[in-house]
Amino acid sequence: MNGTLFERWMAEGSISIPNMLLKTYKQIGLSDNECMLFIQLHVFIESGNYFPTPDELSERMSASSNDVSSMLRSLIGRGVLGMDQYEDKEKGVYFEAYTLQPLWNRLLQSLKEEEQLQKEVHKENQEQNVFVLFEKEFGRPLSPMELETLKIWMDEDQQSPQLILSALKESVLSGKLNFRYIDRILFEWKKNGIKSPEAAKMYGEKFRVRQLQRSGQQDQPRKDSGLKRPAYNWLES
């Protein structure tokens, strides 16, 4: 008996319900009943019935046929459910069918918006970290003018928070901790197409090597690896 029931169960098959639908149906404006209606439509379509009647849908739900009809009209009117027309070439007739593509598109859009929101939150956290680290290095709260300068670097000049912090580090190493100096560093990097901290580090090292060569220090033996590297004067570039 149990074997027969199991065979019947397996014969009914299974269907995949997108997790995004269950996670975000409320966010895209669907009620519990409307979500269940979409699930039932999905089941019918996957089984080959592309245009189930309200009565057929109602039999599987705790909603009357009239309620189902009302929900279907509402979903179509809101652009979440679509209607297509297909041709049965063997019979030479056309028939209507529901399509869930508008729903899938809406879910994809919701996913894109979620990712964009996460990016914005991440960017906001990075920017906040810039303010905190600047105040830490300067040892005081930043002035309104300095705060505005930071915003201009990020918003208008489109400098990344990581690159701004690299310029801050460069100014600290050079012993010239001021906004004018940092601004000059960022200007030089932007002029030379420097967009990452790694590229900025390589760019700075090249100048330091040239500075060593000009001063003749490249011929001196390096006895103490702990000596500070010579700093490039960005204001004189």
Side-chain angles (χ1 to χ4, degrees):
M1 182 65 178
N2 289 336
T4 303
L5 289 175
F6 182 75
E7 290 173 1
R8 288 180 55 192
W9 181 7
M10 296 302 295
E12 286 292 329
S14 61
I15 192 168
S16 175
I17 304 298
N19 194 36
M20 277 296 297
L21 173 60
L22 302 178
K23 284 177 60 179
T24 62
Y25 74 88
K26 186 177 179 180
Q27 297 176 20
I28 63 175
L30 299 180
S31 67
D32 293 348
N33 279 342
E34 288 173 335
C35 180
M36 178 53 66
L37 178 57
F38 268 118
I39 291 174
Q40 295 296 350
L41 281 170
H42 185 47
V43 173
F44 272 110
I45 291 172
E46 288 297 305
S47 64
N49 185 348
Y50 298 96
F51 197 63
T53 66
D55 287 337
E56 289 175 320
L57 291 165
S58 176
E59 288 177 0
R60 299 185 178 184
M61 298 177 59
S62 59
S64 67
S65 178
N66 289 335
D67 290 338
V68 170
S69 296
S70 178
M71 282 191 286
L72 290 171
R73 288 193 299 269
S74 175
L75 293 171
I76 293 173
R78 285 147 53 193
V80 190
L81 177 64
M83 293 287 294
D84 277 338
Q85 192 175 61
Y86 294 93
E87 179 184 7
D88 187 334
K89 294 182 179 180
E90 293 183 357
K91 297 181 179 179
V93 296
Y94 289 89
F95 63 92
E96 290 185 322
Y98 291 117
T99 173
L100 306 188
Q101 192 59 49
L103 173 64
W104 308 145
N105 292 340
R106 187 71 62 87
L107 292 176
L108 285 173
Q109 181 61 33
S110 178
L111 184 60
K112 290 179 181 178
E113 292 173 356
E114 181 180 338
E115 290 182 347
Q116 182 61 33
L117 179 60
Q118 290 176 350
K119 289 180 181 179
E120 291 175 359
V121 170
H122 180 64
K123 181 181 177 182
E124 184 178 339
N125 290 338
Q126 285 187 321
E127 292 177 355
Q128 186 63 36
N129 188 47
V130 169
F131 293 117
V132 171
L133 291 178
F134 261 74
E135 289 188 340
K136 181 179 179 180
E137 289 295 343
F138 277 79
R140 59 172 174 78
L142 299 179
S143 68
M145 182 67 71
E146 290 169 339
L147 291 172
E148 184 63 26
T149 300
L150 279 174
K151 291 180 180 179
I152 290 174
W153 288 342
M154 289 184 280
D155 298 337
E156 295 184 15
D157 297 343
Q158 295 296 302
Q159 301 281 13
S160 71
Q162 296 89 344
L163 202 60
I164 293 173
L165 291 178
S166 294
L168 172 64
K169 181 179 180 181
E170 189 73 33
S171 72
V172 172
L173 291 173
S174 300
K176 294 180 172 63
L177 185 59
N178 62 74
F179 271 74
R180 178 169 174 262
Y181 197 74
I182 297 171
D183 186 63
R184 180 63 183 181
I185 294 172
L186 291 171
F187 175 79
E188 286 294 326
W189 286 349
K190 188 172 185 178
K191 184 175 68 173
N192 289 277
I194 305 301
K195 298 181 180 180
S196 70
E198 294 76 18
K201 182 179 180 181
M202 293 178 62
Y203 186 78
E205 290 294 343
K206 289 180 181 178
F207 278 112
R208 292 187 182 90
V209 170
R210 292 176 187 174
Q211 193 174 37
L212 281 171
Q213 291 172 344
R214 285 196 298 268
S215 64
Q217 293 182 21
Q218 75 278 9
D219 296 327
Q220 300 177 8
R222 292 184 289 181
K223 298 179 181 180
D224 185 1
S225 60
L227 291 176
K228 291 184 178 180
R229 58 184 179 178
Y232 177 71
N233 191 346
W234 297 93
L235 292 178
E236 295 178 1
S237 61

